[in-house]
Amino acid sequence: MAELQALLFDVDGTLADTERDGHRVAFNMAFEQAGLDWHWNEALYGELLAVTGGKERIRYFLEKFHTDFEKPDNFDDFVKGLHQAKTDFYTQLLSEGKIPLRTGVERLIQEARDAGLRLAVVTTTTPANVTALLTHTLGEDSESWFEVIAAGDIVPAKKPAPDIYHWALEQMSLAPEEAIAFEDSLNGILSSSAAQVPTIVTINDYTKDDDFSKADLVLDHMGEPDQPFQVLSGDAFGHQHLNLELVRALSKSGR
């Protein structure tokens, strides 16, 4: 029987509540800087999250919600420029300590490192965003803790396609059953489950009503010894916070 070797982490919404108070705010700052009167409130941004990828999200916004916008001739460069400005503002917000890690994340990562498990990031956000989040929350050298950073446009088809998980597993020479994924959204669980990777979901305000029937365990957060999680579906085997013992138990039960 294959043993658990690696933990594969999504970023936005999983490691930190980056969407509402990070990316959304940074997008609005970029729009204002560009002289655009666009503003993505929390409700609208929730709808835009149906699309993965920042540049794709801008395009979707214009196609569905702002159809009268006159696109410039250099539209691709326009979108790339907006997205780059948004990334810069997002990094600024992180450096100001405005986007902390979610409950239990740092503890679980440190447990995995101490146990010699391999770590990877599997996300649709840009590599720059990954670097910014890790360095400003876990420390300057924390990116080196992750053997693979599967991020951004490294594969053509983003989540919910399984391509990013296939790529990460290939880079690490792992079978799906030798890893476990951590996700927070419908697109995430569709991606990981299609790649046949067992998955633990921690919901957030934007994803709490998503269909997570394909997940092995669904929690409100990872929890701490003095801050128990709430089990929304699945078996936590009597645990009240997510630790390696529970992760390993879930990995075995999924095989």
Side-chain angles (χ1 to χ4, degrees):
M1 179 181 290
E3 289 294 323
L4 177 67
Q5 295 191 36
L7 309 188
L8 313 181
F9 290 95
D10 172 55
V11 174
D12 294 321
T14 301
L15 295 186
D17 279 326
T18 55
E19 296 293 9
R20 183 187 63 190
D21 300 325
H23 291 295
R24 183 185 67 86
V25 174
F27 271 117
N28 287 332
M29 294 168 76
F31 300 155
E32 182 177 358
Q33 182 186 63
L36 300 165
D37 62 355
W38 308 348
H39 180 80
W40 292 356
N41 61 31
E42 292 182 19
L44 172 59
Y45 196 67
E47 294 189 55
L48 296 175
L49 285 174
V51 174
T52 54
K55 294 185 290 293
E56 291 84 354
R57 205 163 289 156
I58 293 171
R59 294 175 182 275
Y60 179 68
F61 167 69
L62 295 176
E63 290 167 4
K64 184 170 182 181
F65 298 98
H66 200 2
T67 56
D68 58 346
F69 176 71
E70 188 173 337
K71 296 178 181 179
D73 292 336
N74 58 338
F75 182 60
D76 287 345
D77 291 338
F78 169 78
V79 171
K80 288 179 183 177
L82 273 181
H83 189 255
Q84 182 58 57
K86 171 259 172 182
T87 298
D88 293 341
F89 281 122
Y90 178 75
T91 302
Q92 175 186 319
L93 292 170
L94 281 168
S95 68
E96 295 168 353
K98 294 181 177 177
I99 312 173
L101 294 176
R102 293 189 67 185
T103 303
V105 167
E106 182 171 4
R107 174 188 48 75
L108 182 63
I109 288 174
Q110 293 293 358
E111 280 187 32
R113 293 187 69 216
D114 291 344
L117 287 176
R118 301 159 71 186
L119 302 174
V121 164
V122 183
T123 181
T124 57
T125 198
T126 65
N129 286 343
V130 175
T131 299
L133 178 65
L134 295 178
T135 56
H136 288 298
T137 56
L138 292 173
E140 287 297 325
D141 67 334
S142 59
E143 190 172 9
S144 67
W145 303 352
F146 295 83
E147 182 178 333
V148 166
I149 303 289
D153 299 322
I154 203 161
V155 293
K158 296 185 176 182
K159 298 176 185 178
D163 303 38
I164 192 78
Y165 275 100
H166 289 318
W167 188 88
L169 291 169
E170 181 180 353
Q171 297 303 304
M172 301 174 80
S173 299
L174 289 175
E177 62 270 19
E178 293 176 316
I180 196 159
F182 298 84
E183 286 283 357
D184 73 300
S185 69
L186 177 60
N187 281 334
I189 186 62
L190 290 175
S191 177
S192 61
S193 63
Q196 299 184 315
V197 180
T199 305
I200 298 170
V201 166
T202 50
I203 65 163
N204 58 60
D205 286 344
Y206 280 127
T207 66
K208 60 186 178 182
D209 296 323
D210 286 357
D211 177 5
F212 293 121
S213 57
K214 294 180 182 295
D216 293 76
L217 182 65
V218 182
L219 308 168
D220 59 341
H221 53 70
M222 294 187 186
E224 294 285 7
D226 61 349
Q227 189 177 352
F229 54 46
Q230 179 182 355
V231 178
L232 304 177
S233 89
D235 189 351
F237 301 98
H239 290 266
Q240 295 188 316
H241 68 278
L242 190 61
N243 56 20
L244 278 186
E245 183 181 352
L246 173 53
V247 172
R248 286 192 170 107
L250 287 165
S251 176
K252 289 179 181 177
S253 69
R255 290 197 282 269

